[in-house]
């Protein structure tokens, strides 16, 4: 499976597979990334690309020392199924 890369110019993490790009969009507020939308093109559907993209994105965020707000339902569900990423979810500030 392809590597996930951060594309800060487009505010998204991307993974290109067979010339098609899947991505997770985000907005940044300090050290918190709000993960807002995940898109896996139909051509990549059913191949585990979404899970690989989520895992790669969350691993990069962890390595960067950032936290997240999982506003995207796909990412939120992925974290529920993989609680080892729950520590990345930013605590509410109030």
């Amino acid at each position: 499976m392809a590597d996930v890369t951060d594309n800060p110019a487009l505010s998204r993490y991307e993974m290109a597979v067979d010339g098609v790009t899947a991505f997770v969009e985000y907005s940044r507020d300090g050290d918190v990334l709000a993960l807002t939308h995940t898109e896996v093109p139909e051509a990549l559907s059913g191949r585990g690309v979404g899970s690989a993209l989520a895992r790669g994105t969350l691993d990069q965020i962890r390595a960067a020392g950032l936290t997240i707000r999982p506003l995207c339902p796909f990412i939120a569900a992925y974290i529920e199924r993989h609680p080892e990423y729950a520590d990345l979810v930013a605590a509410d500030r109030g």
Side-chain angles (χ1 to χ4, degrees), residues 11-12 25-30 32-36 67 69 71:
S11 297
R12 66 188 200 178
E25 293 178 335
Y26 64 84
S27 62
R28 185 170 182 155
D29 181 13
V32 179
L33 296 182
L35 303 181
T36 57
T67 58
R69 285 206 164 65
L71 304 180

Side-chain angles (χ1 to χ4, degrees), residues 10 20 31 34 39 43 78 81 86 88 92 94:
L10 295 178
V20 181
D31 289 340
E39 188 162 318
Y78 184 87
R81 290 190 313 273
L88 293 176
D92 276 337

Side-chain angles (χ1 to χ4, degrees), residues 2-17 20-28 30-41 49-50 52-69 75 88:
D3 289 334
V4 174
T5 57
D6 185 11
N7 183 340
L10 295 178
S11 297
R12 66 188 200 178
Y13 286 90
E14 301 175 335
M15 185 170 74
V17 178
V20 181
T21 302
F23 58 86
V24 177
E25 293 178 335
Y26 64 84
S27 62
R28 185 170 182 155
D31 289 340
V32 179
L33 296 182
L35 303 181
T36 57
H37 177 70
T38 300
E39 188 162 318
V40 176
V49 171
L53 174 63
R55 183 173 51 254
T57 296
L58 295 171
D59 287 345
Q60 285 204 23
I61 290 168
R62 173 174 280 138
L66 304 172
T67 58
I68 65 165
R69 285 206 164 65
I75 295 294
L88 293 176

